Every structure is written in structure tokens, then in C-alpha cells.
Amino acid sequence: MKGRPVQKLLCIARMDLRLFTRREFLSDSAYVAAWLGVGRRLAATTLPEAREITLTARETTVEISPGQTRTTWAYDGRVPGPEIRVREGERVRITLRNELPAPTSIHWHGVPVPNAMDGVAGVTQAPVSPGDSFTYEFDASPAGTYFYHSHVGLQLDRGLYGPLIIEPREDAGATADREYVLLLDDWLDITPEQAFAELQQRSPMRGGMMGGSDDPLYAAHLVNGRTGGLAAPLAVARGERVRLRLINAGSATTFRVGLAGHRLTVTHADGQRVRPIDVDTLVIGVGERYDVQFVAGNPGVWPLVAGSIDSPLVSLVVPLVYERTLDSLRPVTVWPSELSRGRALRYVDLVPVERMTTPAPGVVQTIPITLGSAMMGGYVWTINGQAYPNADPIGLDPGARVRLRVTNATMMRHPLHLHGHFFTVRLPGQTSGPAKDTVVVDPMASFDLDFVADNPGRWFFHCHHLYHMEGGMARTLEYR
Ligand code: C2O
Ligand code: CU
């Protein structure tokens, strides 16, 4: 490990904050303490054989921006919930205690856990009643950036989510000196259930949806539970290689992200290694994760910016602060032009480094998946014309190489997520593609998602736009 000791670096960064953050940033020492904990020096650690963790879901009050508090549902009283960081291959035992006034569950988004541990209430387990507990147990594998969240109705959109990081077994390949985990979120000022009711009022037959948005009206965007005005700075030392783990934990918003003054090297998509690719911006669909790295070689204070792909405005600004800088951050409201004109990541850029699975020879099962919406009124979203839960399960042949032939027949974007498996995204004209668990299907687009049916059970498959899911765009895939 090179660079200076962590304490010193953070002190310097804290001094620098005075120069640019003005009143909101330094007034609150608890706040400073909070962000000091966010960045971590990467160091080899020995971890125990099994990990016992408890997460308590309960109502809580959070401060999302200076002086703005909200009462919501969260894990351990904070949004995002506590970071779970384990070593690949470790046994993890996580107990969910439900202190909410409603039934709940936890899903380990992206991790191919055994079916009974997948946390989809009504599909893989009974919902955990208020006052009850449930213990999830699985081996943390493969390494990567994941998150956990409630899988009951629209609860995720209240703030019931947190980061789940599985570090590689070997430290030899560690290529970063410092790392930050950034969870992006869209924040409602009403309950998700109220938001869903409003969407139903704006249904196509009422003329609202066709020309407008199919998303709830969000009050703000958050990074690590704070609006841009209270976002924790990213402190770095010159020369460090910095990793950002970017997680879209929002419920409907597709985010674009970029870092002024630096190019980002994308190293992992949905936790899985890809051939490093340099970009200026990347789009992160709901439920997707990207690991990116940059070299801190351009001293100063720079904005990491993010905003909805459907807006020209920047809604989140996270200051990147070099130690010993005298610069200050200028306000950013629109995309810095060197970013918006720059190189944007596309799915065809993602070339897998290793094969996730070896397909069974011979058996190929092709399943057409057409994403649609109801022709006649209501906020109804369909797969092959059926809206979940009034939908037939899709049967899988154990061991088969399955091809989901996806067509989006709507004018909306759908971030499709498959539980329990990684799939290979095969874009038109491509013979291979990245291993992912969530993929954004653009309006009228089609491509194949290939996977091996090697994890028996009943698995949920759905649009991760939570309101589309709630509106019916979901199925179970069930091994025969
Ligand atoms: Cu992020 Cu069905 O889950
Ligand atoms: Cu959708």
C-alpha cells in the first residue's frame, strides 16, 4: 500500500472541504464522521470462516438533505442500509428482524443463492411477519458488487436497500488503492403505494402516459441516502488508483454518470469482470452495477455528476476532493460538455473476461419473451400478454442451455432482472456478450439472454422498474 496514512489524508481532505463546501458541509460533525467512514483504504484482511449479520427493518427518520428529515422504512435506521462486505466463498448468515408494521423479506440482488434463500416473498418464501425473523444463509460467490433489498411489493422504494460487496478470494488481483461505494436512488415524498395509484390515474386511456412519463414523480435523487447538496465528498490522494462501485438502487430512474476531469475505466458489469474500457459517461439501469476505476492524476476539486437519462439536468453532484487542493467546486446544473460530448459506454463495449458457466452440450431451449403493456387502460405491463400474478409459470429443463429471446414491444425502457443466474447478453450481430443479471431493454429493441439452467427452483424474472413489476411485468421460471 502506497500513499499516506489514512488519518492524515482524511484530515487534509476535511480542511479542503472548508474551501468549497460552504455552510452545509461542515456545520455538522456527525455528517463529517459519516463520510469519513465511506471511503476505505484497501488492505488485505483475514476474515472469519462464517459471518453472522443481523439487519433490522424498521421505521426510521433520515436526513436526506440539510435540515430535511423524512420518516421512512430502512435497515438498521439508515438509508442505504449497512454495507455488507464479505470474502468470496465465505459462509454468510444474515438474520432479518422485521420491526415494520408490514410483512417483508430480503433479496440478494445478483447473487445466485440457493432458491430458498432468494427472498422473494410469495415465490421462494412466506413473507416475514411483523415481529418475526428469518435467517438467510448462503455462500458468498462469485465476487462482485451487489445489493440487497426488500422483495415485497414496492417496499424497496421506501429505502429498504443496502450494498452487498463480495471481495475476491485472492487479494493478488487488487488493483485499487482506495474505493467508494455509491448507491444511486430516486426518492419519493409520498408512499410508493400512493405513487402507484397516481400512475394508474395517468393510464393510457386517460391520455397521460403516451406522451409523458411512465415513472412516478420523484422529489429528489439521492447518492448514499443524501441529495447532492449533502453528498459525501470522495477524498483522494494524488496518484492513487480509485475504484467506484456504482449501484443503481433506484426504483424507476435510469442514471447517467460521469466524472469531470477524469476518464473512467469500466472493469466490472453487474459484479463480473469485463475487459477494461475507458469512457467519459455510463448509463446505469435500475438494478445494474458497474465498477469503474480512475487514476487520481488531476489535482483539484471535480464534480462526479449523475442525473436521469431522460433529463438534460444534473441531479446529483459528488465532489471529488484531492488532498492539499486550494480549488473550490463550481456549481453544476447541466452536464459538463466534455462529458456529454465524450465517449459513452455501450453494451457492445462489454467483453467478458471469463466464462461464467459451461453450457451443457446439446439441449437448447428457446423461450420468446415479449414485453408489452395493456392495450386497454390501467397501468398494466405484460410478458407475453399476461400480467403477473395472473400469469403462467415458464418451465425450464434442468441443465438446458436456455435462450430468452426478448423483444420490447413498448415505447418504454425495461431493466430486466433474472434471479438465481447470470445470463449472457447477446446483442444483434454479436456471438458473445457480457455476463449480467440485469439488462436494460430499450424501446422496440430485441436481443437474446442466454443462460444455463443450473440452479434448480422457482425463480423470479421481472422488470426492475418497480412500478412495471407491480403492474404485472414479472414471471416465475420454474425447473421441471
Ligand atoms: Cu433486485 Cu427481483 O430483484
Ligand atoms: Cu419495465
Side-chain angles (χ1 to χ4, degrees):
M1 303 305 293
K2 58 189 162 70
R4 54 185 65 245
V6 62
Q7 261 330 102
K8 193 161 174 203
L9 168 72
L10 292 171
C11 285
I12 291 163
R14 188 189 324 197
M15 271 170 45
D16 293 333
L17 283 180
R18 302 208 165 114
L19 302 171
F20 79 96
T21 53
R22 325 249 181 286
R23 140 194 89 71
E24 321 89 333
F25 272 106
L26 271 187
S27 50
D28 177 3
S29 62
Y31 158 66
V32 172
W35 72 254
L36 288 180
V38 175
R40 66 170 50 228
R41 289 292 291 182
L42 298 174
T45 44
T46 2
L47 295 169
E49 286 297 308
R51 190 66 80 82
E52 306 270 352
I53 295 163
T54 301
L55 292 171
T56 304
R58 56 179 158 86
E59 189 169 273
T60 188
T61 299
V62 292
E63 185 178 23
I64 61 165
S65 67
Q68 301 273 319
T69 58
R70 296 288 185 276
T71 298
T72 191
W73 295 359
Y75 297 112
D76 289 12
R78 36 183 292 206
V79 177
E83 177 179 289
I84 298 178
R85 185 175 285 259
V86 294
R87 182 78 70 192
E88 185 175 24
E90 242 191 302
R91 190 77 174 162
V92 194
R93 214 170 288 128
I94 307 173
T95 299
L96 163 65
R97 295 179 45 199
N98 185 8
E99 294 180 4
L100 298 171
T104 193
S105 71
I106 300 183
H107 169 59
W108 318 98
H109 179 110
V111 186
V113 298
N115 193 244
M117 297 291 119
D118 198 44
V120 184
V123 176
T124 65
Q125 68 171 100
V128 183
S129 303
D132 281 0
S133 303
F134 186 92
T135 299
Y136 297 91
E137 184 165 343
F138 54 89
D139 292 326
S141 180
T145 302
Y146 305 93
F147 70 120
Y148 59 89
H149 61 79
S150 160
H151 218 303
V152 170
L154 301 164
Q155 287 180 359
L156 159 61
D157 211 8
R158 293 182 186 243
L160 284 165
Y161 66 83
L164 169 57
I165 310 299
I166 304 180
E167 294 187 335
R169 213 181 291 264
E170 309 286 322
D171 251 349
T175 50
D177 303 307
R178 182 176 296 276
E179 133 171 355
Y180 289 94
V181 181
L182 299 176
L183 290 98
L184 306 174
D185 186 16
D186 37 24
W187 184 262
L188 288 172
D189 257 353
I190 52 179
T191 68
E193 293 72 26
Q194 287 170 318
F196 189 68
E198 284 182 9
L199 287 168
Q200 289 174 310
Q201 297 303 309
R202 288 198 269 146
S203 72
M205 293 308 281
R206 294 172 190 257
M209 208 174 71
M210 296 311 279
S213 172
D214 57 330
D215 296 348
L217 298 172
Y218 284 100
H221 290 159
L222 308 184
V223 56
N224 293 344
R226 313 292 180 99
T227 60
L230 197 63
L234 311 174
V236 298
R238 185 173 189 171
E240 282 183 325
R241 182 169 279 279
V242 183
R243 176 190 296 136
L244 305 178
R245 295 182 188 260
L246 304 169
I247 301 170
N248 185 346
S251 290
T253 305
T254 307
F255 285 99
R256 175 178 285 119
V257 178
L259 174 58
H262 302 73
R263 287 205 112 188
L264 299 172
T265 305
V266 178
T267 62
H268 296 70
D270 291 356
Q272 308 312 307
R273 280 172 69 202
V274 293
R275 216 179 274 165
I277 167 98
D278 290 346
V279 300
D280 296 296
T281 61
L282 62 157
V283 165
I284 312 181
V286 175
E288 286 189 308
R289 293 90 61 210
Y290 285 101
D291 293 6
V292 301
Q293 292 191 2
F294 63 91
V295 175
N298 196 0
V301 178
W302 299 96
L304 179 120
V305 295
S308 165
I309 190 179
D310 296 315
S311 163
L313 300 178
V314 161
S315 56
L316 287 169
V317 178
V318 183
L320 172 73
V321 185
Y322 281 71
E323 59 174 340
R324 276 194 303 246
T325 186
L326 295 176
D327 290 351
S328 58
L329 188 67
R330 266 164 280 132
V332 189
T333 51
V334 294
W335 278 84
S337 62
E338 76 270 22
L339 293 184
S340 49
R341 278 190 280 105
R343 174 81 158 80
L345 180 72
R346 301 158 305 167
Y347 280 146
V348 290
D349 298 325
L350 299 173
V351 179
V353 169
E354 55 245 308
R355 281 214 162 282
M356 292 300 300
T357 42
T358 328
V363 202
V364 178
Q365 191 189 352
T366 301
I367 302 168
I369 298 286
T370 301
L371 308 176
S373 54
M375 301 308 290
M376 301 286 286
Y379 190 78
V380 177
W381 299 90
T382 60
I383 290 176
N384 298 341
Q386 296 180 327
Y388 191 84
N390 302 312
D392 302 321
I394 293 171
L396 295 183
D397 298 324
R401 189 196 164 109
V402 181
R403 171 162 297 172
L404 302 177
R405 179 147 279 180
V406 176
T407 303
N408 182 355
T410 75
M411 294 310 291
M412 300 297 169
R413 221 177 274 121
H414 300 291
L416 282 186
H417 174 53
L418 173 62
H419 288 220
H421 309 73
F422 290 96
F423 46 65
T424 298
V425 182
R426 285 182 67 255
L427 300 164
Q430 306 286 308
T431 51
S432 182
K436 294 183 97 281
D437 53 69
T438 309
V439 65
V440 178
V441 193
D442 281 331
M444 307 313 283
S446 46
F447 45 71
D448 291 341
L449 305 178
D450 292 357
F451 66 97
V452 178
D454 60 359
N455 193 4
R458 286 173 88 196
W459 297 101
F460 214 41
F461 170 63
H462 62 96
C463 180
H464 218 284
H465 183 303
L466 227 58
Y467 298 83
H468 294 179
M469 177 184 85
E470 190 70 2
M473 194 173 276
R475 283 299 178 101
T476 54
L477 301 185
E478 306 190 9
Y479 282 62
R480 296 192 179 102

